[in-house]
Amino acid sequence: MFGQSIDKGCYGHINEYKKKRLTAALICLAVIAAFVIITFAVFHTRKSVFTILACVMAIPFAERMIGYAIVYNYRSLPEDIYKKINESKYSKEFLYDVTVSDGEKIHYYPCIFLSLEGVAVFDTDVSDKEKRIAAIRKIFDMEELECEIITDVDEFLGLFDEETKSDQGMKEHILTYGV
């Protein structure tokens, strides 16, 4: 329906997710409007099966709008920062556009590195830093897991050396917690 999809954990996933949700919501809204217009134009009343269909279509419309509203403020990294991270020799170790729900809120991590030694997140936004770190620790059930949110791309890339390897199991686990 929308061409090739960008997988979870890949750069651009959150932007594509928002586009798909909004497009699907607008299609649902257009169908609802068509049912209402047909009802009034053809039957000159609200009492029609098309009115019921319009009401039923409100459910998928609402579902898609809620999905869009939840991630509305999240944006993939700027292209220049992504290119700088992607050009590093450790680029295959990172996940991008990761969302994690802690039951209260969905937390967004534009670029994340996961290993059993610790978690490093690159993000220019450090609001709710402690809650975002707690959410990561909670999903891995590791209160002592070392977590850090870094705002400088050079400092972030400076954390890694030849021995640095991400944990594939952790990568797969975290991707099950978001959109």
Side-chain angles (χ1 to χ4, degrees):
M1 177 175 160
F2 293 101
Q4 192 162 359
S5 179
I6 298 175
D7 293 332
K8 282 184 179 182
C10 295
Y11 178 74
H13 171 73
I14 201 77
N15 292 341
E16 180 186 290
Y17 177 86
K18 289 191 309 186
K19 255 187 248 176
K20 283 183 176 181
R21 285 291 176 158
L22 185 59
T23 302
L26 292 175
I27 290 169
C28 289
L29 185 62
V31 171
I32 291 169
F35 284 150
V36 170
I37 290 169
I38 288 170
T39 298
F40 284 119
V42 174
F43 303 110
H44 305 291
T45 181
R46 295 179 308 187
K47 298 174 184 175
S48 163
V49 71
F50 289 106
T51 305
I52 295 169
L53 291 174
C55 291
V56 170
M57 281 299 297
I59 296 168
F61 168 72
E63 177 192 0
R64 280 145 184 87
M65 281 307 297
I66 289 169
Y68 177 76
I70 287 172
V71 297
Y72 173 75
N73 286 327
Y74 304 143
R75 288 172 181 51
S76 294
L77 291 173
E79 189 76 26
D80 59 326
I81 293 175
Y82 167 71
K83 283 182 181 176
K84 187 169 188 172
I85 292 172
N86 197 43
E87 289 170 356
S88 77
K89 56 185 168 184
Y90 312 108
S91 64
K92 300 287 185 228
E93 305 293 327
F94 302 122
L95 290 176
Y96 298 94
D97 295 340
V98 175
T99 56
V100 173
S101 173
D102 67 358
E104 277 182 37
K105 180 181 179 183
I106 293 199
H107 301 281
Y108 175 65
Y109 308 93
C111 182
I112 190 167
F113 173 83
L114 302 160
S115 76
L116 293 173
E117 291 83 39
V119 175
V121 174
F122 173 76
D123 194 354
T124 54
D125 176 24
V126 290
S127 63
D128 292 334
K129 184 176 184 176
E130 293 306 315
K131 285 185 178 182
R132 293 168 73 197
I133 289 172
I136 291 172
R137 289 181 175 145
K138 182 178 177 181
I139 65 165
F140 291 115
D141 199 22
M142 300 170 82
E143 285 302 317
E144 301 304 316
L145 184 67
E146 189 175 321
C147 298
E148 192 171 355
I149 297 178
I150 300 163
T151 58
D152 181 66
V153 70
D154 293 320
E155 181 183 346
F156 178 71
L157 292 174
L159 294 174
F160 310 104
D161 57 31
E162 298 300 323
E163 304 295 313
T164 306
K165 294 287 181 216
S166 62
D167 184 86
Q168 191 62 32
M170 289 178 81
K171 283 181 168 182
E172 291 170 6
H173 185 73
I174 199 167
L175 292 177
T176 63
Y177 281 84
V179 297

